Amino acid sequence: MKKEPAGNHKETMEIRLEHVNYIYGGDTELAVHALDDVNITLPAGQFIGLIGHTGSGKSTLVQHLNGLLKPTSGRIYCDGEDICAKDYNMKKLRQKVGLVFQYPEHQLFEADVLSDVCFGPKNLGFSKEEAEAKAKAALLQVGLSEEYFDQSPFDLSGGQKRRVAIAGVLAMDPEVLILDEPTAGLDPKGREEILNLIRKLKEERGITVVLVSHSMDDVANYVERIIVVNHGRIMFDDAPRKVFTHVEELENMGLAAPQVTYIMKALAEKGAAVDTSAITLEEAKQSILEWVKGNKA
Amino acid sequence: MDIIKAQDLSFDYIRRDEEGNVEGTTRAVNHVSLSVSQGDFVAILGHNGSGKSTFAKHLNAILMPTEGTVWVDGMDTREEAKIWDIRQEAGMVFQNPDNQIIGQVVEEDVGFGPENMGVPTKEIWERVEESLKAVGMYEYRKYSPNKLSGGQKQRVSIAGVLAMHPKCIVLDEPTAMLDPSGRREVIRAVRALNMVEHVTVILITHYMEEIIHADHVFVMDVGKVAMHGTPKEVFSRVEELKALRLGVPEVTQLAWELKQSGVNLPEGILTVEELTEALLQCRG
């Protein structure tokens, strides 16, 4: 087994899934093929968006990444080690792959913010001092200064509670951070703040981030790679710009393209010479400006 | 006729210590006066903690005013004898579809409200049928709710409210937990209720593009109505909305940024069609 990584991570890990199938209710008539021959590699340090409609299998997939679910067949390797092997250290895997569930603030339970964030590292066997040091670093990194440490997490705003919950996972020093719809229920500014925070964490810690999202605009603006899941299968796995050229297929899967992509398509249909592959507001703006100004010239 | 009228409404949440003594109060709604006409589609925007959900909970007497008065169809929500009439007239749909469905079968769930009201059995089934048809879920009437998608569950929740024949439906972030197609389905169903069935709609949301067809928009901040107008009027004030932690629909944002870059566009563009038209005009 490899040495525990020290505080800041130079060394991050790769997760590889080979022919992973997951079937529940296997021996009954109600058997559901929740994952169907999934083959993906998550290299260290990537920012990945995972999209799919409710019930598409994305949560099942995510739960395989830190060993909460075991594949019915197929193999999952973390840094080359088979996580289904009998002697594999699951505890270490769960420390390395941090999972922030939907509405994670519902899982806050301690009397004060610092104790809540200490729970993870203490559970991993760190001393009180070490756990507190990790918790404090994590809280500062999510933008909660010392004045919040002694407050009850229940007195904080929705966005702040969610930061505490994210800090709780960060304090375990994960190398892969998976967030299941981290912006659900937040106001527009709160959504932007959380997404900017996630981007900052990825850059500062050099970790892999998997963002599970129902917002096409968010994934278009933030991630470098999108994995689309439908009926337990990987339908697309590519750069956002390429994935969002498949508008019709995405709609048939209960998804969509980013809003600006529809705007650009509508403009093009009326004869405007604009870039219909634009997926962010900035790209759309530049393309329209070129078209409008080009005409004036 | 005003279906909803709030006059000088204030509400304080009371904080108590472990012995139950009052430690202090937090004012969540602060002197709000507004009215909603029968048949209108009204949107309420506001950042997390702005007081919009607290306000909404007054509309079917889940919360009672600390000060001021709320009338639903002329009934004061503080009149205890009227509470069930009020709840029948102003139904509520919440964020999480899984917390609102209790029946084992879709049609039973939808029938629960009218049954509870003492509606005769034959009429319950008529109401279940018409409500499920109104939200496009009639084919699923024999399904178990746990076999449905999030958008379908929310439409069943809406049908459950409709079956009580309300004059008004209040939806508190009904799409927050849904995927894109779920969001489309729910918003389409809500608009149809308003346009076809003439049910008054009060929609609370964080998704700006869901309310471009509303008749009126109220924006709340620190418990007060900070802005009020048609979607076009409100979404023309891009910078003010941003200062209130909100935004504008993506089309409006794009148009606004193009305008900042010198493209001669009108204010408050809300739809792709409007933007396309305006840009083609610029081209001359």
Side-chain angles (χ1 to χ4, degrees):
Chain A
M1 200 191 300
K2 283 200 306 195
K3 239 180 81 224
E4 291 284 331
N8 65 342
H9 300 288
K10 297 289 175 262
E11 169 194 10
T12 57
M13 69 168 175
E14 175 188 282
I15 304 179
R16 187 155 44 91
L17 282 74
E18 286 182 0
H19 302 292
V20 169
N21 285 283
Y22 184 73
I23 298 167
Y24 51 84
D27 36 14
T28 71
E29 280 186 12
L30 300 167
V32 176
H33 215 133
L35 290 181
D36 188 352
D37 195 31
V38 170
N39 294 285
I40 46 171
T41 300
L42 312 181
Q46 239 182 14
F47 198 162
I48 299 164
L50 181 60
I51 62 176
H53 66 82
T54 315
S56 60
K58 53 187 194 313
S59 297
T60 307
L61 175 57
V62 153
Q63 290 177 60
H64 278 79
L65 301 179
N66 74 343
L68 284 176
L69 290 176
K70 284 194 174 169
T72 309
S73 66
R75 288 273 171 273
I76 300 174
Y77 299 96
C78 283
D79 276 342
E81 286 183 81
D82 183 347
I83 70 164
C84 298
K86 274 208 177 98
D87 57 349
Y88 189 81
N89 184 345
M90 270 297 168
K91 193 165 175 180
K92 192 174 127 196
L93 177 70
R94 296 205 175 119
Q95 177 256 311
K96 284 183 161 192
V97 182
L99 185 51
V100 179
F101 289 99
Q102 231 184 75
Y103 293 85
E105 61 274 20
H106 294 170
Q107 296 168 45
L108 299 175
F109 65 100
E110 284 279 8
D112 63 87
V113 166
L114 187 63
S115 309
D116 206 291
V117 179
C118 282
F119 180 80
K122 268 191 190 158
N123 216 19
L124 290 172
F126 287 100
S127 70
K128 186 167 181 284
E129 290 71 31
E130 285 170 315
E132 278 191 4
K134 285 178 184 294
K136 284 178 180 169
L139 281 165
L140 292 174
Q141 207 170 14
V142 300
L144 291 170
S145 54
E146 272 171 42
E147 62 190 287
Y148 292 102
F149 292 3
D150 296 330
Q151 285 192 29
S152 163
F154 304 103
D155 291 339
L156 304 178
S157 73
Q160 286 170 333
K161 279 187 208 167
R162 200 158 291 185
R163 283 161 192 267
V164 173
I166 293 173
V169 173
L170 276 185
M172 294 191 279
D173 286 332
E175 293 172 30
V176 178
L177 181 64
I178 304 168
L179 303 109
D180 192 356
E181 289 203 61
T183 61
L186 296 181
D187 57 48
K189 182 74 182 162
R191 287 209 286 268
E192 191 185 317
E193 286 170 356
I194 289 286
L195 289 166
N196 286 341
L197 167 68
I198 293 166
R199 176 150 64 192
K200 186 188 90 153
L201 291 174
K202 187 209 159 281
E203 280 159 13
E204 288 179 0
R205 292 193 170 221
I207 53 179
T208 308
V209 172
V210 179
L211 176 69
V212 180
S213 179
H214 280 158
S215 165
M216 304 301 119
D217 299 306
D218 289 351
V219 289
N221 278 302
Y222 286 86
V223 307
E224 57 192 289
R225 169 183 172 193
I226 294 177
I227 298 173
V228 183
V229 188
N230 192 37
H231 299 307
R233 280 185 220 124
I234 306 294
M235 305 305 288
F236 300 109
D237 179 358
D238 215 328
R241 177 182 297 279
K242 294 213 171 120
V243 169
F244 286 129
T245 58
H246 303 279
V247 181
E248 214 168 298
E249 289 105 311
L250 289 169
E251 285 180 350
N252 289 336
M253 291 176 216
L255 299 171
Q259 293 182 62
V260 292
T261 309
Y262 291 106
I263 300 173
M264 299 305 262
K265 279 187 188 298
L267 279 169
E269 272 167 28
K270 294 269 172 135
V274 293
D275 175 12
T276 54
S277 71
I279 57 169
T280 66
L281 204 73
E282 191 54 36
E283 289 168 5
K285 181 176 130 188
Q286 290 311 327
S287 168
I288 292 174
L289 281 177
E290 267 169 43
W291 171 63
V292 172
K293 286 182 180 157
N295 171 65
K296 279 176 185 161
Chain B
M1 170 72 196
D2 290 339
I3 179 77
I4 302 281
K5 187 171 162 67
Q7 188 153 356
D8 210 25
L9 169 68
S10 294
F11 182 81
D12 294 335
Y13 282 105
I14 297 169
R15 290 191 308 277
R16 294 176 193 275
D17 65 14
E18 279 156 17
E19 274 99 49
N21 301 312
V22 175
E23 272 189 328
T25 59
T26 305
R27 178 143 290 199
V29 175
N30 196 3
H31 298 289
V32 167
S33 296
L34 61 82
S35 51
V36 175
S37 304
Q38 172 70 45
D40 271 2
F41 189 131
V42 169
I44 303 181
L45 302 177
H47 59 79
N48 295 114
S50 61
K52 58 193 189 312
S53 293
T54 305
F55 174 75
K57 285 181 184 140
H58 282 80
L59 303 184
N60 71 345
I62 296 175
L63 294 176
M64 298 292 164
T66 305
E67 289 167 27
T69 312
V70 176
W71 290 273
V72 174
D73 203 17
M75 295 177 281
D76 184 335
T77 59
R78 265 192 295 218
E79 261 184 71
E80 252 176 70
K82 294 278 171 66
I83 200 160
W84 297 107
D85 292 333
I86 289 167
R87 291 197 178 149
Q88 183 256 308
E89 292 218 346
M92 259 190 113
V93 175
F94 297 95
Q95 196 179 94
N96 190 340
D98 293 320
N99 294 348
Q100 299 175 73
I101 294 184
I102 50 171
Q104 301 296 309
V105 179
V106 164
E107 59 183 5
E108 282 174 16
D109 188 82
V110 175
F112 182 79
E115 189 181 4
N116 220 17
M117 287 160 57
V119 173
T121 310
K122 182 167 169 288
E123 197 191 329
I124 293 175
W125 290 110
E126 288 165 8
R127 287 186 181 203
V128 166
E129 183 180 335
E130 65 181 32
S131 306
L132 282 170
K133 281 182 174 164
V135 298
M137 286 298 292
Y138 186 63
E139 304 113 88
Y140 295 90
R141 65 191 179 282
K142 301 287 185 195
Y143 276 56
S144 161
N146 62 28
K147 296 277 174 203
L148 303 179
S149 72
Q152 290 171 331
K153 284 183 203 167
Q154 279 300 57
R155 287 189 283 153
V156 170
S157 301
I158 293 169
V161 171
L162 268 189
M164 295 167 73
H165 286 180
K167 288 191 178 163
C168 171
I169 182 165
V170 182
L171 303 110
D172 192 355
E173 292 192 53
T175 61
M177 299 180 75
L178 305 183
D179 55 35
S181 62
R183 284 214 292 270
R184 276 198 298 270
E185 286 167 21
V186 168
I187 294 302
R188 203 177 291 152
V190 169
R191 283 192 69 202
L193 287 189
N194 180 248
M195 285 160 54
V196 182
E197 317 274 331
H198 308 290
V199 178
T200 309
V201 168
I202 298 178
L203 175 65
I204 296 176
T205 184
H206 285 317
Y207 291 103
M208 304 299 140
E209 59 281 357
E210 290 177 357
I211 59 156
I212 55 174
H213 300 290
D215 296 304
H216 297 280
V217 180
F218 292 94
V219 181
M220 289 192 68
D221 182 42
V222 291
K224 293 182 177 171
V225 175
M227 292 166 75
H228 169 222
T230 62
K232 197 175 238 1
E233 287 161 0
V234 168
F235 287 137
S236 296
R237 295 153 76 180
V238 179
E239 274 154 337
E240 276 173 79
L241 284 167
K242 295 215 162 158
L244 295 175
R245 300 180 59 85
L246 299 174
V248 295
E250 198 88 345
V251 183
T252 314
Q253 177 72 27
L254 179 59
W256 185 77
E257 289 193 14
L258 286 167
K259 198 171 157 68
Q260 301 289 307
S261 304
V263 181
N264 182 23
L265 292 172
E267 300 240 323
I269 284 181
L270 297 178
T271 64
V272 178
E273 291 74 33
E274 282 171 23
L275 178 63
T276 313
E277 283 296 306
L279 280 170
L280 288 170
Q281 279 203 343
C282 282
R283 229 193 126 157

